[in-house]
């Protein structure tokens, strides 16, 4: 009996082990498999059933799946590595997703949005902080693709390829370039480089030094969005991002070209992806003599973007952008007839380290980023030029001014002024540094509701040194911001974004910034005429902190530095406050012909109040009843006393009649007017009368800032653009145009004639010239590794493309080669 029992027990054990082994063998592929799950939807979030989703590794499709009725899919693969999803469905354009890493035991969630017809999928992040198909957002956003920058040196011309935008460049290559959006100030634009705030302390940003090297295009959000981005996002957000490597074999791309005005450019970029790592690095150098004497310009840009997957759902990323440039300072050449002899140098570094995680099948997303901006600028004059005139006021008070040639200044409004202007020659050094820690956590409760919480800490430092005027100023600001936002949809028809932020700014205290955005789709997109309508509306607020120079020129700061604290208390004088903006806009996006022809139109109404303006001593006495003894000796004190309104219409039309031709154009009408101002130009300090040119009696002129009822400076009432592209497999050509009407401005030459008078200022209305700037480019792929290209700029050779006094470049051309080595 014992023996059979023993044999029976052994046999039973063997059967059990065999069963367990079979289970382990069968289960092993599942336990050691990459699992990719997700949902396929259309641009409005509706599920797409029956879509084919292929998992691509290298050049092969290693697994595939069809989506179910709810649009969900699941794909498994035993091979780890880097993958991408190729998704297709009838009536939709195939989608090639972003590559990702997956290990043998990883579960990865990748949701896919398919676009109807021939337009590629467009996703925006700036609108809501979460990647969202542009068809769902209510905000006006322009997405410029990387291909638009393929032959460009910088991004100035492409900034003009958007409704509501006026890019104003004072000079030629390297000239300081400001962006005015929907009538807002040039300091009211939040500029992000790989998510890192890049503007100076107080919002100043020069777009003229931004190279096209290492950019994936850019997102341009029009309107305030201080909810997500804090101070300085009072009129727009411009987001620039660097590429990520994705080829399994290293790819080296070289581009070299040369053109007129001793212009040449070289660029090299190395990129790829290996296992858990993706990498991209680029360097470029650009040189030009420009068309003016003493106006040479060169810039060098270095870019790095390194990503490492700690797991399939956790990634660390390091980014770096270093830009070094130097240019001549010819001044406003048309006012002098000769160029001044100076140099401006800029050294800008933007870098960040980001840790990002997706959990609970990507429902919970967390991001933490530490970013830095280090910016330096120097302006120095080498020698004096022009005619010297010596002034002797007695008592040993003798000094010499240098004047340009005798010229006639002509405004677009027909007024002229003839004479000599003295040079204003700055010798200054400034620095603007920022350290930022940003944390974001967003959670998708359901397909129809996502909540976002954000926290931002900023440590800002700035300095400004101007030895000729005895200025040596330093500021330190510590700011905090808390954000809460909800977004989602109701039945894939009504999309909403509701949010608010509270910011504690070191300088102006606590400010709240609510925002509401709604869009409704009464008619979904499909083939046919007028099948696809979206109505959108937004109400938003923004805040702006003052820059360093204005902080120290405020009435409060000047009295404080003078030790006059008693007057501060007696007259209840407070530090400068936040500049505020609020806007509402409504619009419609209409699909006219099967998404081949799309019309976008909208109306916006902005109020920019509590803006800072310089108020001279006479105006302080008359308007604010300050005694002359209090304000004597103040050149110009800044107060939050300026307000202006800006409203207008925006239109944009996109048409793609064939897969080879794409047409796009737009027009903006802007009605901007100053509604409150205490500028010293309204009441001159010595006369009590408005500032005038003695040769043009009876005409009040805003020599330093616009007068009440006038337009804010450099904001043209009419702007337009177009872009016509033709593309085949080995050839592409594009013709771009920007059209700008006359705009209000000033010569800023009050007190600059030989008698220290105002004979060189002109009436503000329509002082700046309008222009039509046409550019063209061509690319021809001689082989699959070599491309020949040409860039033609300013075909009409119009030189009044900048503000009065600053001639732009005439016709320019560059031609060169692009060579690719390696890669997939």
């Amino acid at each position: 009996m014992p023996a059979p029992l023993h044999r029976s027990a052994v046999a039973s054990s063997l059967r059990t082990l065999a069963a367990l082994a079979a289970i382990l063998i069968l289960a092993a592929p599942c336990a050691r498999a990459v699992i990719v799950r997700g949902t396929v939807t259309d641009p409005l979030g509706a599920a797409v059933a029956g879509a084919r989703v292929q998992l691509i590794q290298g050049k092969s499709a290693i697994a595939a799946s069809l989506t179910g009725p709810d649009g969900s899919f699941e794909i498994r693969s035993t091979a780890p590595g880097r993958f991408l999803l190729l998704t297709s469905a009838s009536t939709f354009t195939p989608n090639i997703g972003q590559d990702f890493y997956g290990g043998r035991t990883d579960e990865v969630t990748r949701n896919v949005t398919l676009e109807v017809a021939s337009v590629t999928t467009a996703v925006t992040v700036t609108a809501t902080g979460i990647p969202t198909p542009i068809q769902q957002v209510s905000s006006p956003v322009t997405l410029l693709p990387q291909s638009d920058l393929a032959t460009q040196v910088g991004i100035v011309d492409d900034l003009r390829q958007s409704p509501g935008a006026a890019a104003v460049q004072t000079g030629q290559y390297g000239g300081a370039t400001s962006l005015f959006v929907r009538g807002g100030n040039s300091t009211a634009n939040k500029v992000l480089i790989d998510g890192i705030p890049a503007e100076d302390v107080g919002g100043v940003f020069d777009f003229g030094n931004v190279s096209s090297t290492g950019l994936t295009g850019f997102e341009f959000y029009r309107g305030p969005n201080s909810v997500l981005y804090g101070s300085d996002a009072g009129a727009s957000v411009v987001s620039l991002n660097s590429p990520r490597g994705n080829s399994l074999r290293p790819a080296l791309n070289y581009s070299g070209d040369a053109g007129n005005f001793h212009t040449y450019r070289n660029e090299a970029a190395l990129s790829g992806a290996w296992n858990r790592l993706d990498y991209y690095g680029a360097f470029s150098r650009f040189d030009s003599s420009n068309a003016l004497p003493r106006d040479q310009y060169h810039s060098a840009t270095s870019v790095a973007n390194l990503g490492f997957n700690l797991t399939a759902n956790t990634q660390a990323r390091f980014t770096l952008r270093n830009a070094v440039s130097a240019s001549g300072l010819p001044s406003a050449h048309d006012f002098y007839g000769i160029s001044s002899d100076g140099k401006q140098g800029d050294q800008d570094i933007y870098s960040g380290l980001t840790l990002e995680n997706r959990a609970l099948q990507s429902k919970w997303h967390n991001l933490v980023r530490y970013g830095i901006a280090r910016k330096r600028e120097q302006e120095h004059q080498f020698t004096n030029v022009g005619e010297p005139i010596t002034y002797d006021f007695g008592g040993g008070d003798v000094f010499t001014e240098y004047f340009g040639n005798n010229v006639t200044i002509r405004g677009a409004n027909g007024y002229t002024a003839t004479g000599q202007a003295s040079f204003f020659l700055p010798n200054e050094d400034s620095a603007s540094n920022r350290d930022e820690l940003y944390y974001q956590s967003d959670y998708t409760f359901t397909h129809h509701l996502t909540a976002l919480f954000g926290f931002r800490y900023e440590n800002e430092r700035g300095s400004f040194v101007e030895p000729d005027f005895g200025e040596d100023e330093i500021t330190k600001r510590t700011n905090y911001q808390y954000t809460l936002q909800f977004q989602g949809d109701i039945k894939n028809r009504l999309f909403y974004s509701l949010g608010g932020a509270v910011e504690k700014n070191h300088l102006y205290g606590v400010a709240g910034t609510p925002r509401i955005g709604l869009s409704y789709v009464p008619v979904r997109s499909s083939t046919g005429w007028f099948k696809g309508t979206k109505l959108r509306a937004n109400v938003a607020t923004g805040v702006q902190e003052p820059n360093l120079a204005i902080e120290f020129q405020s009435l409060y700061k000047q009295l404080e530095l003078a030790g006059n604290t008693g007057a501060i208390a007696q007259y209840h004088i407070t530090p400068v406050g936040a500049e505020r903006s609020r806007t509402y806009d409504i619009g419609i996006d209409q699909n006219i012909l099967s998404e081949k022809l799309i019309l976008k139109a909208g109306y916006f109404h902005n109020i920019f109040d509590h803006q800072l303006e310089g108020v001279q001593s006479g105006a302080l006495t008359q308007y604010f009843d300050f005694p002359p003894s209090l304000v004597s000796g103040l050149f110009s004190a800044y107060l939050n006393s300026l307000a202006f309104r800006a409203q207008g219409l925006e239109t944009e039309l996109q048409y793609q009649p064939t897969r080879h031709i794409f047409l796009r154009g737009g027009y903006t009408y802007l009605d901007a007017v100053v509604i409150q101002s205490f500028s010293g130009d309204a009441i001159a300090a010595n006369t009590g009368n408005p500032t005038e040119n003695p040769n043009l009696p009876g005409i009040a002129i805003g020599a330093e800032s616009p007068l009440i009822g006038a337009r804010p400076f450099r904001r043209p009432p009419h702007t337009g653009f177009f872009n016509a592209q033709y593309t085949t497999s080995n050839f592409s050509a594009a013709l771009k145009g920007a059209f700008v009407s006359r705009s209000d401005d000033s010569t800023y030459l009050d007190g600059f004639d030989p008698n220290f008078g105002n004979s060189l200022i002109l009436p503000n209305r329509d002082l700046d010239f309008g222009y039509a700037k046409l550019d063209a480019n061509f690319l021809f792929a001689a082989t699959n590794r070599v491309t020949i290209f040409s860039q033609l700029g300013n075909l009409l050779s119009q030189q009044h493309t900048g503000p009065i006094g600053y001639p732009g470049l005439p016709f320019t051309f560059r031609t060169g080669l692009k060579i690719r080595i390696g890669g997939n």
Side-chain angles (χ1 to χ4, degrees), residues 280-514:
Y280 175 88
F283 174 81
S284 70
R285 165 84 184 216
F286 175 76
D287 291 78
S288 178
S289 68
N290 280 319
L292 295 176
R294 304 189 184 98
D295 195 21
Q296 293 86 358
Y297 171 70
H298 73 260
S299 66
T301 301
S302 306
V303 180
N305 188 339
L306 305 174
F308 185 78
N309 285 88
L310 304 174
T311 69
N313 295 305
T314 303
Q315 184 181 74
R317 184 164 297 279
F318 170 78
T319 59
L320 173 70
R321 187 176 186 89
N322 181 31
V324 179
S325 63
S327 64
L329 288 177
S331 300
H333 190 274
D334 288 349
F335 294 164
Y336 302 100
I338 56 176
S339 295
S340 62
D341 186 15
K343 173 187 175 182
Q344 175 178 314
D346 290 87
Q347 306 88 41
D348 303 328
I349 296 176
Y350 315 99
S351 184
L353 181 61
T354 303
L355 187 64
E356 194 169 7
N357 172 263
R358 298 182 183 275
L360 304 178
Q361 296 184 355
S362 286
K363 288 187 176 182
W364 189 19
H365 169 241
N366 288 276
L367 177 149
V368 60
R369 176 187 295 117
Y370 174 70
I372 66 169
R374 301 289 185 267
K375 307 185 70 175
R376 302 287 187 275
E377 183 174 281
Q378 307 86 33
E379 293 186 12
H380 294 292
Q381 298 297 323
F382 300 126
T383 59
N384 291 311
V385 298
E387 178 186 349
I389 299 179
T390 300
Y391 297 86
D392 187 351
F393 293 96
D397 188 6
V398 178
F399 70 96
T400 301
E401 290 273 2
Y402 289 82
F403 289 80
N405 297 336
N406 194 73
V407 299
T408 296
I409 301 171
R410 300 182 184 276
N413 52 17
Y415 289 98
T416 62
T418 300
Q420 292 177 281
S422 62
F423 281 98
F424 177 72
L425 304 176
N427 286 285
E428 57 190 40
D429 294 304
S430 62
S432 184
N433 300 327
R434 180 185 293 107
D435 286 63
E436 180 193 69
L437 179 65
Y438 176 67
Y439 170 69
Q440 174 181 316
S441 181
D442 50 87
Y443 185 81
T444 302
F445 292 94
T446 71
H447 173 64
H448 304 290
L449 174 62
T450 300
L452 178 149
F453 169 78
F455 169 75
R456 176 178 282 107
Y457 164 79
E458 287 182 332
N459 182 275
E460 298 179 316
R461 290 93 62 201
S463 64
F464 181 80
V465 178
E466 171 53 282
D468 294 343
F469 293 92
E471 294 189 65
D472 188 356
E473 301 158 354
I474 297 176
T475 189
K476 294 181 180 180
R477 304 177 189 175
T478 302
N479 311 320
Y480 303 87
Q481 183 190 10
Y482 300 87
T483 295
L484 184 62
Q485 176 183 268
F486 299 92
Q487 75 174 79
D489 68 88
I490 300 174
K491 296 185 177 180
N492 304 119
R493 294 278 191 177
L494 178 64
F495 301 89
Y496 60 88
S497 175
L498 315 172
V502 176
E503 178 171 354
K504 173 63 170 67
N505 185 276
H506 183 91
L507 199 61
Y508 59 72
V510 177
T513 52

Side-chain angles (χ1 to χ4, degrees), residues 91 93 115-120 135 525-532 589-600 652-665 723 725:
T91 73
T93 300
E115 186 73 39
V116 179
S118 58
V119 182
T120 58
Q135 291 86 346
S525 295
S526 63
T527 57
W529 290 89
F530 299 99
K531 296 295 180 68
D589 296 351
Q590 179 63 58
N591 172 20
I592 299 176
L593 177 59
S594 303
E595 290 210 0
K596 291 184 177 181
L597 181 61
I598 301 174
L599 172 67
K600 300 180 180 181
E652 181 180 353
L653 192 66
Q654 300 178 11
Y655 182 42
Q656 189 166 9
T658 72
R659 65 188 182 93
H660 298 298
I661 298 175
F662 179 72
L663 308 174
R664 178 173 169 267
N723 182 0
Q725 298 179 0

Side-chain angles (χ1 to χ4, degrees), residues 120-287:
T120 58
T121 303
V123 174
T124 175
V125 179
T126 56
T128 63
I130 301 170
T132 306
I134 201 168
Q135 291 86 346
Q136 297 182 21
V137 300
S138 60
S139 308
V141 180
T142 299
L143 304 178
L144 269 295
Q146 187 175 20
S147 58
D148 281 12
L149 303 176
T151 61
Q152 298 281 23
V153 171
I155 66 172
V156 174
D157 289 328
D158 288 277
L159 286 171
R160 299 185 175 111
Q161 295 287 306
S162 174
V168 180
Q169 186 166 29
T170 55
Q172 305 181 1
Y173 284 132
T177 303
S178 302
L179 178 65
F180 300 91
V181 180
R182 290 180 161 187
N185 288 330
S186 62
T187 54
N189 308 303
K190 192 73 174 181
V191 181
L192 305 172
I193 295 180
D194 290 314
I196 301 159
E199 71 278 4
D200 293 358
V201 176
V204 175
F205 188 83
D206 181 6
F207 289 92
N209 284 326
V210 179
S211 169
S212 60
T213 298
L215 292 180
T216 60
F218 55 85
E219 291 189 40
F220 184 14
Y221 175 103
R222 305 189 302 279
N225 201 343
S226 292
V227 169
L228 291 176
Y229 303 106
S231 186
D232 303 339
S236 79
V237 179
V238 180
S239 179
L240 309 171
N241 291 283
S242 54
R244 300 182 180 185
N246 54 24
S247 60
L248 297 181
R249 296 166 55 195
L252 176 63
N253 289 277
Y254 168 77
S255 177
D257 61 74
N260 58 343
F261 301 115
H262 306 93
T263 297
Y264 62 89
R265 182 174 187 266
N266 289 280
E267 176 186 284
L270 178 67
S271 63
W274 178 75
N275 203 7
R276 298 173 182 266
L277 175 72
D278 65 82
Y279 55 91
Y280 175 88
F283 174 81
S284 70
R285 165 84 184 216
F286 175 76
D287 291 78

Side-chain angles (χ1 to χ4, degrees), residues 41-65:
T41 61
D42 68 10
L44 298 179
V48 178
R52 179 176 174 80
V53 185
Q54 300 181 75
L55 187 66
I56 307 296
Q57 187 175 40
K59 298 181 179 180
S60 303
I62 61 174
S65 175

